[in-house]
Amino acid sequence: MQDEIVVEDQRMLKLVDPTARLERLWTGATWSEGPVWWKDGSVTWSDIPNNRMLRWHPVTGGSVFRQPSNHSNGHTLDREGRLISCEHSGRRISRTEADGTVVTVVDRYQGKRLNSPNDVVVKNDGTIWFTDPSYGILSDDEGVKADSEIGACHVYRFDPEKEELTIVADDFEKPNGLAFSPDESLLYVSDTGVSHLENGPHHIRVFDVVDGRTLVGSRVFAKIKPGASDGFRIDARGNVFTSAHDGIQIYAPDGVRLGKITVPEIVANCTFGGPDGNWLFIAASTSLYSIVLKTSGGKI
Ligand code: MG
């Protein structure tokens, strides 16, 4: 694979060595999303159309982690290291307990079923923030076709202690990936409305987080092309590593694109991992890839 690292701004050189090479760790999925890295060195991710979650381990290789998976999509770990998952056909956020049982965290807003939660992050205070577009109920391909009970696609904050679910942003077409800045003063949320709306949004927006619970000051951070930002992660210095159709695009905190890691398949999501947090794991269509960076992960 040639020209994997594209440098567009000299700041890119502090983040990725131009000679770094992408490695394909596993292939055989139909559509990969939602990688999460565990301290044992393994990665768990979703293969949504096949209704399964996969696992890759550096010694034992690839295996099926869970099937059926309720068409799970995005994942993260909570403050206790438990797996928090977005489920399309479960239409819920679930948590996998230490003994392997899967429990519902939240599945309704004011008595109405969620659409199909897509991506999730946990804030340092333990609250769970997630997006709820309609991709998992539009057809039977990645979930179960159904009408939206809520009738719109929102961004939510769930407080597990109070069991309180609130809408934090209600003006998205298709809210998708999300991540906090390292100090949690900012929340980034992508809108992939272009997938079903001609001239629809294909950008990442950023908000100021007030009192740890309210979003204000929405502005467009970056317009992503080709494709859109299905998911992204932010390194410890605040740089945004986002999926796009040509690979991973990297944006500085000021919104300037610094460069790209080109990937030979359409990328959905990525996550930081490795003992030093400087490996980037990339879920891209049929495969899981990794690359070593010169920077490391911040908030997941
Ligand atoms: Mg997504």
Side-chain angles (χ1 to χ4, degrees):
M1 291 179 272
Q2 296 295 311
D3 300 315
E4 285 166 349
I5 310 300
V6 178
V7 177
E8 298 173 324
D9 182 295
Q10 291 305 299
R11 287 176 284 178
M12 174 80 168
L13 298 173
K14 293 184 175 175
L15 306 179
V16 187
D17 187 322
T19 64
R21 283 293 167 257
L22 196 67
E23 184 179 356
R24 187 158 74 177
L25 303 175
W26 190 88
T27 191
T30 299
W31 180 249
S32 297
E33 298 230 22
V36 64
W37 183 82
W38 303 87
K39 284 183 179 168
D40 72 354
S42 68
V43 176
T44 297
W45 77 103
S46 299
D47 178 10
I48 305 178
N50 291 315
N51 196 14
R52 64 180 181 171
M53 291 159 67
L54 300 166
R55 176 178 186 264
W56 173 86
H57 186 275
V59 174
T60 56
S63 59
V64 175
F65 180 90
R66 178 183 300 163
Q67 190 171 28
S69 62
N70 288 335
H71 298 90
S72 72
N73 188 333
H75 306 277
T76 194
L77 301 180
D78 70 7
R79 297 307 105 189
E80 288 77 46
R82 298 171 298 191
L83 186 67
I84 304 291
S85 302
C86 295
E87 297 181 3
H88 283 184
S89 52
R91 298 179 70 167
R92 64 175 182 170
I93 301 293
S94 70
R95 182 177 64 235
T96 303
E97 306 289 15
D99 65 2
T101 55
V102 182
V103 300
T104 297
V105 174
V106 61
D107 62 355
R108 285 170 193 270
Y109 176 73
Q110 296 185 343
K112 296 176 180 173
R113 297 185 77 189
L114 297 172
N115 298 322
S116 52
N118 189 293
D119 214 344
V120 59
V121 288
V122 174
K123 200 168 172 295
N124 272 335
D125 62 6
T127 54
I128 297 168
W129 300 59
F130 63 94
T131 57
D132 186 40
S134 52
Y135 292 118
I137 57 173
L138 291 174
S139 74
D140 292 322
D141 296 341
E142 296 197 343
V144 178
K145 191 174 189 302
D147 292 331
S148 171
E149 295 185 16
I150 293 168
C153 302
H154 299 317
V155 185
Y156 293 90
R157 171 189 183 272
F158 181 67
D159 182 334
E161 285 189 10
K162 296 179 181 170
E163 297 205 351
E164 176 187 78
L165 184 63
T166 34
I167 296 169
V168 289
D170 64 359
D171 59 348
F172 278 73
E173 292 292 337
K174 295 277 189 286
N176 203 321
L178 77 173
F180 286 101
S181 61
D183 65 0
E184 299 187 335
S185 66
L186 303 171
L187 181 72
Y188 296 81
V189 186
S190 67
D191 195 329
T192 52
V194 70
S195 62
H196 289 77
L197 187 69
E198 194 177 350
N199 299 318
H202 49 98
H203 55 225
I204 298 174
R205 284 161 59 182
V206 61
F207 300 83
D208 298 309
V209 183
V210 176
D211 297 331
R213 55 180 301 139
T214 306
L215 301 182
V216 300
S218 169
R219 60 262 187 205
V220 172
F221 170 71
K223 291 185 177 177
I224 308 301
K225 58 182 179 181
S229 170
D230 195 331
F232 54 94
R233 289 290 184 253
I234 297 175
D235 75 0
R237 307 173 206 175
N239 300 293
V240 176
F241 287 67
T242 177
S243 70
H245 278 201
D246 56 355
I248 296 290
Q249 298 186 358
I250 302 166
Y251 291 80
D254 61 10
V256 173
R257 193 169 80 188
L258 304 182
K260 302 183 223 181
I261 302 167
T262 59
V263 178
E265 300 185 75
I266 292 176
V267 175
N269 300 154
C270 62
T271 196
F272 294 99
D276 299 319
N278 64 335
W279 287 73
L280 189 70
F281 293 93
I282 301 167
S285 303
T286 66
S287 307
L288 181 71
Y289 295 84
S290 72
I291 190 167
V292 180
L293 304 176
K294 294 169 74 176
T295 184
S296 59
K299 283 286 298 173
I300 57 170

